[in-house]
Amino acid sequence: MSFLSRIMDVKSKAHFSAGGNNNKAAGTGQAFEGTRKRSGSQARSRVAVMICCFGMAYAVIGGRLVQYGMASSETVSSIGPADHLMASRPDIVDRNGEILATDIRTVSLYAEPHKIVDADEAVEMLATVLPDLDRRGIYRKLTSKSRFQWLKRQLTPKQQSRILALGIPGVGFRPEKRRFYPGGATASHIVGHVNIDNRGIAGMERYIDSQGLADLAAIGMTSDAKLEPVRLSIDLRVQAIVREVVKDGMERYKALAAGAVVLDVHTGEVLAMASYPDYDPNNPAEGAKEGWMNRMSNGTFEMGSTFKSFTTAMALDSGKVKITDSFDARAPIRIGGFTIKDFHGKHRVLSVPEIFQYSSNIGTAKMADVVGIEAHKAFLTRMGLLTRMDTELPEVKTPSQPREWKKINSITISFGHGVSTTPLQTAVAGAALINGGKLLNPTFLPRTREEADEIAKVVIKPSTVDSMRYLFKLNANDGSGRRSLVPGFNVGGKTGTANKVVNGRYSNTQNFNAFLSGFPIDDPKYVVLTFIDAPQTGEAGGRTAGSNAAPMVGEIIRRSAALLGVKPKFGEDGSALLVSY
């Protein structure tokens, strides 16, 4: 084969070889392009999945933020209108509808310690709004492992607003109820007060809870409906007068305490009652030392010569003594090492009216002796003076008496020593002496005369009542009660000046004075009793009941009689009419 032929043959093979390689390259390109398409599709799918996951995560986060925002709007809220607030306790109103106690809306500050970022900073910030905050105590709460802690109860709207502005994470507010007493201390011992959880712990507030409200609240069965107000027998206008007179009397006569009550003799309703010192139920802690003590119903005292009213009534009612009888009061009574004598003795034979008028211990003791020890004890028990008084007010103390009544006990008790009872039940027993002889448990709730007649107990005869009205008027006109007189209102009553027991012995320098009165005495409607504990002075420099307790009664009647619906009686010449029997 020639050289030229060989060359052509080589070219031909080379050409064939090149054509085969080109075909292989084309097949490989097509395969690569398919793989790339598949990879891109998978990548797009992965991106879409990731976008969906992120979208779902952000949706969950957004949903939780909305949830927290809604929760925040519930707990960290401004104080809303009172009209939208459920009253957890009923309003307390007086007999004329004046509000004595009501619920108002407030908020309390709380913390969730697990959400607190910096406890030290939180304490410092809160202290700028609440300077009296217990910093150590709050720090311990904020760093505790609990999930909820109260920080401050019952904030003012201004305090809430300022704390909100601080923006402290982990603290919030919860709406609560706060009891508000518009009259402050005016009727504190009657209305009482509640604790921080709005539960009644004294006075009529406690009584309301005892009627089932507290039990319903404890098991969560309180109603959303507004509760009907609880209406009391109190007349807020008269109550304000009585408290002012009592407060002024204590300060004027430089006494340790004072008190008074106005009682409807036919229904047993308490129209007003005050004991001083008292306290403001809006801030009861400030009065905890002296003010919480309700001396009218929860303090027992030897009532002194006011008890001569009951001894005289007992003697007359027994039939063993007549109002025309007389007793020898010339010499003191000596018994068991004791000497019974008169404070201002007349040293002569005294009639029953004179014994009452001159407040003779000797004459009174002899009348009790005629009746006898057992009958004496039975009479005072019948009058409700030796047993615990039954009324709505929770603060009621049981009277004290000798374990065994002997003659010496009966003699001293006849003129008000040896038995301690409450001023309120003395007034209740006194009402029975002038209202027709009916004993009625006192009430702080409205009671009609018909309702009272159904539960009244007749304890003395009508003839005894007539005699006691006469004696009360005699003592007011011509005896120790002259400073209680108010022209036109025919006041009658009996003073009582008792030596106080100090360190187990009767003191000659400290008295417990009282005045038991009724008006108008010709047709009694109200009993007014006042007391003053350990006065240092009185009208015209005296320290006896006639110079301080009696003037307090006169002031109460003078200012409140018109409000109580009692019209004065005057003659044609303008002078006050006197009672005739």
Side-chain angles (χ1 to χ4, degrees):
M1 177 177 292
S2 64
F3 179 75
L4 184 59
S5 297
R6 290 179 177 173
I7 293 174
M8 290 301 291
D9 184 51
V10 171
K11 287 182 178 180
S12 176
K13 291 180 178 180
H15 177 74
F16 177 80
S17 176
N21 289 337
N22 287 337
N23 289 336
K24 289 181 179 179
T28 301
Q30 291 175 355
F32 178 75
E33 184 178 355
T35 301
R36 185 175 59 187
K37 288 181 178 180
R38 287 194 299 274
S39 299
S41 178
Q42 291 176 354
R44 284 194 296 274
S45 297
R46 292 190 184 98
V47 170
V49 170
M50 291 178 66
I51 290 173
C52 289
C53 290
F54 277 109
M56 291 176 64
Y58 280 113
V60 171
I61 294 172
R64 294 295 287 176
L65 289 174
V66 171
Q67 183 180 0
Y68 279 130
M70 293 178 66
S72 176
S73 68
E74 292 178 358
T75 58
V76 186
S77 60
S78 298
I79 298 177
D83 294 342
H84 299 157
L85 177 66
M86 181 194 76
S88 61
R89 298 184 66 83
D91 288 351
I92 299 177
V93 299
D94 82 335
R95 66 190 303 112
N96 301 312
E98 296 293 330
I99 293 179
L100 300 173
T102 189
D103 275 352
I104 60 173
R105 186 166 186 170
T106 184
V107 293
S108 290
L109 179 67
Y110 72 91
E112 297 174 281
H114 64 288
K115 294 182 180 179
I116 297 296
V117 177
D118 187 335
D120 285 314
E121 182 182 15
V123 171
E124 291 299 324
M125 294 175 73
L126 288 174
T128 62
V129 179
L130 306 171
D132 60 338
L133 209 62
D134 178 7
R135 299 195 180 198
R136 291 185 179 181
I138 296 299
Y139 180 81
R140 284 195 297 269
K141 289 182 177 182
L142 295 181
T143 54
S144 68
K145 295 182 180 180
S146 64
R147 300 182 67 83
F148 182 90
Q149 290 283 348
W150 285 119
L151 300 183
K152 183 72 173 179
R153 305 291 291 274
Q154 298 181 349
L155 300 176
T156 65
K158 183 177 181 180
Q159 289 172 327
Q160 182 196 20
S161 177
R162 291 181 62 189
I163 293 173
L164 279 171
L166 295 176
I168 306 173
V171 300
F173 304 89
R174 284 192 177 181
E176 287 195 302
K177 311 294 192 308
R178 180 179 179 180
R179 201 63 164 166
F180 177 61
Y181 303 91
T186 303
S188 56
H189 286 122
I190 298 173
V191 177
H193 62 279
V194 298
N195 62 13
I196 192 69
D197 294 313
N198 223 25
R199 296 289 175 259
I201 59 174
M204 294 302 289
E205 292 279 31
R206 184 177 173 185
Y207 168 78
I208 292 170
D209 278 10
S210 72
Q211 300 306 295
L213 180 65
D215 295 336
L216 290 175
I219 59 177
M221 292 185 65
T222 51
S223 170
D224 289 346
K226 186 176 179 63
L227 300 174
E228 286 295 320
V230 174
R231 189 177 297 272
L232 302 187
S233 61
I234 302 303
D235 187 319
L236 186 58
R237 303 167 301 173
V238 181
Q239 177 67 31
I241 291 171
V242 169
R243 180 183 181 267
E244 185 176 333
V245 170
V246 165
K247 180 177 181 291
D248 180 66
M250 175 182 156
E251 295 171 352
R252 178 185 300 178
Y253 304 128
K254 301 176 182 178
L256 296 178
V261 63
V262 177
L263 185 76
D264 187 314
V265 300
H266 296 297
T267 65
E269 293 173 295
V270 177
L271 277 298
M273 186 180 77
S275 172
Y276 198 84
D278 55 16
Y279 68 101
D280 185 350
N282 293 303
N283 189 14
E286 289 188 357
K289 184 176 180 181
E290 289 288 341
W292 283 8
M293 176 64 174
N294 181 3
R295 292 167 173 82
M296 286 301 300
S297 65
N298 203 27
T300 56
F301 308 93
E302 293 186 347
M303 298 299 295
S305 293
T306 58
F307 254 53
K308 291 173 182 173
S309 306
F310 308 115
T311 305
T312 305
M314 173 188 67
L316 296 173
D317 204 63
S318 70
K320 296 180 179 181
V321 176
K322 297 180 178 61
I323 199 166
T324 55
D325 288 345
S326 298
F327 292 85
D328 189 352
R330 291 176 294 181
I333 300 173
R334 292 181 174 83
I335 181 172
F338 297 93
T339 301
I340 310 301
K341 58 185 178 179
D342 290 340
F343 184 63
H344 291 297
K346 299 299 178 182
H347 307 292
R348 63 178 174 84
V349 175
L350 300 175
S351 66
V352 170
E354 287 177 323
I355 290 171
F356 197 82
Q357 177 185 353
Y358 301 133
S359 198
S360 170
N361 294 337
I362 299 170
T364 305
K366 289 189 174 182
M367 284 194 292
D369 191 38
V370 169
V371 176
I373 298 172
E374 292 304 319
H376 190 183
K377 182 178 180 181
F379 180 83
L380 293 183
T381 301
R382 190 163 77 242
M383 298 296 293
L385 292 165
L386 301 181
T387 55
R388 189 178 188 273
M389 181 173 53
D390 184 16
T391 188
E392 299 87 8
L393 209 64
E395 296 81 22
V396 175
K397 194 170 183 179
T398 303
S400 63
Q401 59 176 304
R403 292 183 180 180
E404 180 183 358
W405 280 50
K406 299 179 180 179
K407 188 171 182 177
I408 181 62
N409 301 117
S410 181
I411 287 175
T412 58
I413 291 170
S414 72
F415 52 81
H417 285 282
V419 162
S420 294
T421 190
T422 69
L424 177 57
Q425 66 190 126
T426 304
V428 170
L433 300 181
I434 60 175
N435 70 359
K438 300 174 295 183
L439 183 66
L440 290 162
N441 289 328
T443 182
F444 292 86
L445 300 174
R447 180 193 285 164
T448 66
R449 189 160 180 173
E450 292 72 23
E451 291 170 339
D453 289 340
E454 290 179 3
I455 62 173
K457 297 178 182 178
V458 178
V459 290
I460 58 175
K461 302 171 185 175
S463 59
T464 305
V465 173
D466 292 338
S467 296
M468 292 310 302
R469 290 179 182 176
Y470 165 73
L471 294 174
F472 276 138
K473 185 57 183 177
L474 175 67
N475 186 63
N477 280 338
D478 303 317
S480 58
R482 289 187 295 273
R483 289 190 174 91
S484 69
L485 294 177
V486 180
F489 289 105
N490 296 324
V491 181
K494 182 70 183 79
T495 54
T497 302
N499 294 95
K500 286 191 65 173
V501 177
V502 179
N503 298 324
R505 298 175 63 89
Y506 285 106
S507 171
N508 292 322
T509 59
Q510 293 191 42
N511 299 336
F512 181 87
N513 297 346
F515 188 69
L516 171 64
S517 72
F519 81 101
I521 202 62
D522 53 326
D523 183 18
K525 291 182 172 59
Y526 300 98
V527 157
V528 180
L529 180 143
T530 59
F531 81 80
I532 188 155
D533 188 3
Q536 297 181 32
T537 185
E539 303 299 325
R543 286 195 302 112
T544 61
S547 63
N548 40 51
M552 290 167 62
V553 165
E555 183 69 6
I556 290 172
I557 293 174
R558 183 183 65 81
R559 296 175 59 183
S560 66
L563 299 174
L564 294 169
V566 180
K567 297 180 179 179
K569 294 182 180 180
F570 294 97
E572 294 182 359
D573 60 352
S575 61
L577 290 178
L578 298 179
V579 183
S580 60
Y581 287 90

